[in-house]
């Protein structure tokens, strides 16, 4: 038998070293290096010898192609994120914070697919079958023909799947609880997670069964375990949300069979997750129309327009270095907008604390929110409330110019549908009007928007002074 040696593997990034250390040199994590036996993995057990390879047929690039067949789950928001449903033989990785609702979402997906006549298997490594049944009863899904199992051995799971009718969907909750005899380490380690995922993905490709793996997340929000697992699967989905809020967002960060900029919005209720067909009404439902520092951003998530309120608070600071706090947006981009406002518009923030928040807990990634952020910042600094019927969108460059963004007409249609009458956006979009009730005002330089907000502030001061004279 070949001699097996020890190696030390970082449980955060999967880096391998020859000796133990308190800090991983690859990712910088402390106390993440664990001792493991070398030679683990598929085909790497004790006494195993490498087999002779076989000749793999080579195919030409040109030839007939078949579109990937889809299996719709019946939950439209979930199907939107996956690209139209499950692809047979694909593997998906779903991550999210503990208690955010990953198991609830997947048991609802499993029940909806099973009710449509597709065989579904739900394997839980964290809960007993009775606990899964209790959740199903609470959600009103007890009558769904979903087959349950509570098992953590990968070999037993694969043997069971081969013995029953071939399922269309297999859900593994979670990948960190599985273990295989081919690896001599504890469940949840890098070697166990990587090997277990590889065995399940191989089963999916060979049988045509769709496999969904649930993954835990680390304190920084990434899926725990080696990053190679994310490269092995066909799609990586993150279930986001705040435990203090009632809505959740399913977002794709990788998808070989669909777009990666789509989101699905759900609302957490006593009966489980409910689909939100119009997220704009949800995010704008509690906004204060007369408050300074609030601007409505006409955003776009994939093919879906979403209107969200951006809130800014600019307050005098007694600190030598004023604070900059951001929730739901990129902090570096906020610093850039502040620098552009100071350099090209003459608006000074050096003696003020700046707080920026995306209302409702949504996370905005597209740069089209620059103009709305700038409007909210200037509004808060000047103490001037922006128009309640206005929306903003546009990318701001370092020179202070407002650059055009994609799908401007789609953003305007969504704003008009919700009752907004005016829109501020890039002049270069060439849009004269968003519709019969929508007026589009093009902005070429950021300074033009600052001047308009200042003019509106002077008008509000004049009206306020006139009202005070009348009362006297």
């Amino acid at each position: 038998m070949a001699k097996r040696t020890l190696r030390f593997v970082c449980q955060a990034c999967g880096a391998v070293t020859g000796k133990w250390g308190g800090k991983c040199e690859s990712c910088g994590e402390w106390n993440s290096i664990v001792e493991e036996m070398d030679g683990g993995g598929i085909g790497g057990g004790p006494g195993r010898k490498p087999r002779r390879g076989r000749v793999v047929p080579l195919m030409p690039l040109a030839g007939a192609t078949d579109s990937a067949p889809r299996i719709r789950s019946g939950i439209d928001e979930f199907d939107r994120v996956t690209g139209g449903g499950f692809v047979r033989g694909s593997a998906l990785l779903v991550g999210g914070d503990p208690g955010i609702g990953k198991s609830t979402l997947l048991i609802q997906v499993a029940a909806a697919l099973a009710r449509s006549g597709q065989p579904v298997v739900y394997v839980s490594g964290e809960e007993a079958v009775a606990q899964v049944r209790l959740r199903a009863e609470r959600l009103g899904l007890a009558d769904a023909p979903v087959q349950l199992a509570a098992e953590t051995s990968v070999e037993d799971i694969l043997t069971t799947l081969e013995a029953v009718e071939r399922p269309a969907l297999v859900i593994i909750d979670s990948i960190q609880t599985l273990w295989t005899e081919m690896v001599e380490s504890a469940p949840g380690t890098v070697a166990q997670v990587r090997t277990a995922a590889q065995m399940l993905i191989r089963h999916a490709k060979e049988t045509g069964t769709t496999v969904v793996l649930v993954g835990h997340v680390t304190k920084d929000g990434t899926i725990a375990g080696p990053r190679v697992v994310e490269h092995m699967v066909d799609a990586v989905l993150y279930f986001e949300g705040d435990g203090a809020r009632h809505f959740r967002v399913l977002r794709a960060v990788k998808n070989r069979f669909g777009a990666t900029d789509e989101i699905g919005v759900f609302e957490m209720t006593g009966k489980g997750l409910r689909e939100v067909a119009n997220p704009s009404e949800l995010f704008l439902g509690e906004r204060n129309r007369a408050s300074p520092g609030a601007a409505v951003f006409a955003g776009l998530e994939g093919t879906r327009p979403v209107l969200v309120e951006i809130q800014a608070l600019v307050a005098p600071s007694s600190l030598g270095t004023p604070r900059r706090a951001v929730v739901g947006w990129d902090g570096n981009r906020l610093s850039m907008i502040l620098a552009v406002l100071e350099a090209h518009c003459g608006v000074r923030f050096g003696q003020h604390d700046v707080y920026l928040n995306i209302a409702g807990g949504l996370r905005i990634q597209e740069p089209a929110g620059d103009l709305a952020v700038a409007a909210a910042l200037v509004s808060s600094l000047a103490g001037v409330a922006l128009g309640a019927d206005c929306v903003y969108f546009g990318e701001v460059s370092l020179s202070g110019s407002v650059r055009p963004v994609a799908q401007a007409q789609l953003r305007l249609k969504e704003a008009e549908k919700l009752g907004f009458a005016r829109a501020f956006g890039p002049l270069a979009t060439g849009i004269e009007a968003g519709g019969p009730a929508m007026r589009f005002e093009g902005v070429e330089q950021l300074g033009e928007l600052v001047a308009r907000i200042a003019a509106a502030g002077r008008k509000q001061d004049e009206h306020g002074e006139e009202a005070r004279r009348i009362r006297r």
Side-chain angles (χ1 to χ4, degrees):
M1 182 176 67
K3 181 180 178 181
R4 308 190 69 191
T5 59
L6 292 176
R7 65 176 183 174
F8 299 87
V9 183
C10 175
Q11 304 302 298
C13 65
V16 180
T17 60
K19 61 180 180 179
W20 184 87
K23 179 181 179 182
C24 177
E25 298 297 334
S26 298
C27 64
E29 288 290 331
W30 287 89
N31 300 323
S32 62
I33 298 179
V34 175
E35 175 185 309
E36 293 183 0
M37 294 295 296
D38 195 4
I42 297 180
R48 294 181 180 267
K49 296 182 179 180
R51 64 178 177 84
R52 183 178 178 84
R54 62 182 178 87
V55 178
V56 179
L58 302 178
M59 306 297 293
L61 178 63
T65 59
D66 296 327
S67 59
R70 300 273 184 173
I71 305 176
R72 297 190 63 87
S73 67
I75 300 180
D76 294 337
E77 292 296 306
F78 189 90
D79 292 337
R80 172 192 291 270
V81 178
T82 57
F86 295 112
V87 176
R88 296 185 184 275
S90 63
L92 293 81
L93 182 62
V94 179
D97 294 331
I100 204 67
K102 301 185 298 296
S103 300
T104 300
L105 173 64
L106 292 178
I107 195 66
Q108 290 184 226
V109 170
L113 193 60
R115 285 172 174 170
S116 66
Q118 299 285 352
V120 178
V121 175
Y122 187 99
V123 180
S124 176
E126 301 177 345
E127 298 176 298
V129 172
Q131 293 175 299
V132 180
R133 286 174 176 171
L134 286 175
R135 184 191 300 116
E137 291 178 0
R138 178 174 57 85
L139 301 176
L141 306 174
D143 60 335
V146 178
Q147 303 179 76
L148 303 179
E151 185 55 57
T152 57
S153 172
V154 180
E155 286 81 5
D156 294 345
I157 293 174
L158 294 178
T159 302
T160 303
L161 295 178
E162 293 172 358
V164 299
E165 179 187 1
R166 179 180 299 176
L169 174 66
V170 174
I171 298 175
I172 307 295
D173 188 8
S174 66
I175 187 62
Q176 279 85 5
T177 62
L178 300 189
W179 63 277
T180 172
E181 297 177 353
M182 294 185 176
V183 178
E184 297 180 0
S185 59
T189 58
V190 170
Q192 286 283 7
V193 171
R194 179 175 56 239
T195 307
Q198 186 176 1
M199 295 173 67
L200 291 168
I201 293 172
R202 175 183 293 181
H203 174 79
K205 303 302 180 182
E206 292 177 351
T207 63
T209 298
T210 301
V211 175
V212 177
L213 308 175
V214 179
H216 298 161
V217 297
T218 59
K219 58 183 179 181
D220 59 351
T222 60
I223 295 178
R227 301 288 298 191
V228 68
V229 175
E230 298 188 19
H231 301 306
M232 292 162 57
V233 297
D234 298 305
V236 179
L237 311 179
Y238 278 94
F239 203 42
E240 305 170 351
D242 189 353
R245 304 181 186 275
H246 58 277
F247 80 92
R248 305 287 187 267
V249 174
L250 183 66
R251 187 187 305 270
V253 297
K254 172 189 177 181
N255 193 352
R256 290 174 179 165
F257 306 109
T260 57
D261 51 4
E262 293 283 2
I263 64 169
V265 183
F266 300 87
E267 182 181 7
M268 181 63 77
T269 67
K271 292 294 184 180
L273 293 164
R274 183 184 66 85
E275 299 179 75
V276 178
N278 191 351
S280 299
E281 293 182 349
L282 177 66
F283 296 135
L284 297 177
E286 300 177 355
R287 71 187 184 104
N288 188 352
R289 300 172 182 267
S291 175
V296 178
F297 166 53
L300 197 67
E301 293 287 348
T303 59
R304 164 185 286 175
V306 177
L307 268 62
V308 63
E309 184 183 51
I310 296 180
Q311 301 170 347
L313 175 60
V314 180
S317 175
S318 59
L319 304 176
T321 303
R323 293 195 60 187
R324 303 288 187 260
V326 186
V327 177
W329 209 50
D330 185 10
N332 294 328
R333 201 153 191 91
L334 172 62
S335 301
M336 188 199 76
I337 297 299
L338 293 175
V340 172
L341 286 172
E342 292 201 9
H344 298 288
C345 305
V347 183
R348 305 301 177 188
F349 294 93
Q351 303 299 322
H352 294 79
D353 293 331
V354 176
Y355 303 89
L356 187 71
N357 177 53
I358 307 301
L362 185 67
R363 180 165 53 89
I364 296 177
Q365 297 178 334
E366 63 168 337
D370 293 349
L371 194 64
V373 170
L377 291 171
V378 176
S379 170
S380 178
L381 180 64
V384 178
L386 301 175
D389 60 345
C390 299
V391 297
Y392 303 82
F393 63 91
E395 180 182 357
V396 177
S397 66
L398 291 178
S399 63
S401 62
V402 182
R403 299 169 59 88
V405 296
Q407 300 292 338
Q409 190 71 39
L410 189 61
R411 303 171 195 263
L412 294 178
K413 287 182 179 179
E414 178 71 9
E416 181 183 353
K417 184 175 66 175
L418 294 179
F420 290 90
R422 289 188 299 165
F424 293 86
L427 182 64
T429 55
I431 297 178
E432 299 297 334
M438 173 69 71
R439 186 178 68 186
F440 179 77
E441 300 185 19
V443 180
E444 187 175 6
Q445 292 288 329
L446 186 58
E448 300 175 12
L449 180 63
V450 174
R452 294 181 186 182
I453 296 176
R458 289 192 294 268
K459 290 183 179 179
Q460 291 182 11
D461 293 340
E462 293 175 0
H463 290 321
E465 183 64 27
E466 182 179 357
R468 284 192 291 272
R469 287 199 305 268
I470 294 175
R471 285 196 297 269
R472 287 197 297 265

